[in-house]
Amino acid sequence: MAVREILIHPDDRLVQVSRPVEFPLSDEVKELIRDMADTMYDAPGVGLAAPQVGELLRIAVTDTVWRDKEVRHDGDLPGGHRELKVWINPEFLWKSDEMETWEEGCLSVPETWGDVSRPAALRLRWFDEHGVQHEQDFDGFQAVALQHEFDHLDGKLFIDYLSPLKRRMITKKMKKLYKS
């Protein structure tokens, strides 16, 4: 297990569409999932998609349970509680017409936030790391976080929902701060 480098916008790999994962999972994919979890917690973040660490696979990890609780600014979770979820080949089956607006940020667009409107509820089908298929409804922050992470699998960032002017300003800022 290792902490991987998180790609920063405007890295071209962040706008590519990821390919489905095949089962059974290879040892390399299992290692990637462990590394993604380590990387997400180290950042710290509530989610991370494989393209953010340079792997164009339809995999994301999240831990949103602690989001609505008091979060310490040093990144530690209250009481050390973690509830890691692994999402492989996720597919939206339904999204509500009702929209909610949340302030979003992204590990690939550091120190940048913006209000994004997304469907307030959704139904999702996905596989876990054991190859078991699940189907469940989500709402609130978890629905927002899942949509945000799964956008990465389709080459989209939260800034794509912002005005063109704001996107250009953010891109210029990222290029200046994170020259490669």
Side-chain angles (χ1 to χ4, degrees):
M1 294 187 281
V3 173
R4 295 193 183 198
E5 178 183 357
I6 297 173
L7 301 180
I8 302 299
H9 168 73
D11 190 297
D12 290 339
R13 292 169 286 182
L14 292 171
V15 297
Q16 296 181 30
V17 176
S18 297
R19 65 185 182 281
V21 175
E22 296 183 16
F23 287 93
L25 297 181
S26 67
D27 289 341
E28 292 81 12
V29 170
K30 291 176 185 176
E31 182 179 2
L32 169 64
I33 292 168
R34 289 188 299 269
D35 290 354
M36 287 173 60
D38 289 345
T39 303
M40 176 187 70
Y41 287 121
D42 183 69
V46 297
L48 186 72
Q52 292 179 274
V53 292
E55 300 291 340
L56 295 176
L57 294 171
R58 297 190 76 76
I59 303 172
V61 295
T62 63
D63 187 341
T64 59
V65 171
W66 58 273
R67 169 54 171 77
D68 293 322
K69 299 176 183 174
E70 180 182 339
V71 179
R72 293 177 16 193
H73 291 286
D74 63 4
D76 284 347
L77 306 181
H81 178 73
R82 292 181 173 174
E83 191 170 313
L84 178 69
K85 297 284 188 186
V86 178
W87 314 87
I88 301 174
N89 299 335
E91 174 186 2
F92 293 111
L93 302 176
W94 169 83
K95 291 183 181 182
S96 69
D97 291 332
E98 179 187 350
M99 304 291 280
E100 284 188 359
T101 301
W102 292 73
E103 184 179 60
E104 294 187 26
C106 182
L107 297 174
S108 290
V109 191
E111 314 246 346
T112 304
W113 296 269
D115 288 339
V116 176
S117 293
R118 297 184 184 271
L122 57 91
R123 180 170 301 118
L124 181 68
R125 179 183 301 140
W126 77 98
F127 292 89
D128 64 22
E129 65 272 32
H130 307 291
V132 176
Q133 185 177 31
H134 300 270
E135 189 173 309
Q136 187 176 338
D137 293 340
F138 297 94
D139 61 11
F141 179 73
Q142 191 158 32
V144 170
L146 294 174
Q147 291 174 82
H148 175 108
E149 293 309 325
F150 302 159
D151 270 354
H152 283 293
L153 306 180
D154 293 323
K156 289 183 77 174
L157 298 171
F158 86 95
I159 62 172
D160 294 332
Y161 295 93
L162 306 178
S163 73
L165 175 62
K166 188 153 187 170
R167 276 196 314 271
R168 283 192 302 272
M169 290 172 50
I170 291 168
T171 299
K172 185 177 179 180
K173 173 184 166 187
M174 293 296 111
K175 284 180 178 177
K176 185 176 181 180
L177 291 176
Y178 299 96
K179 290 182 182 177
S180 0

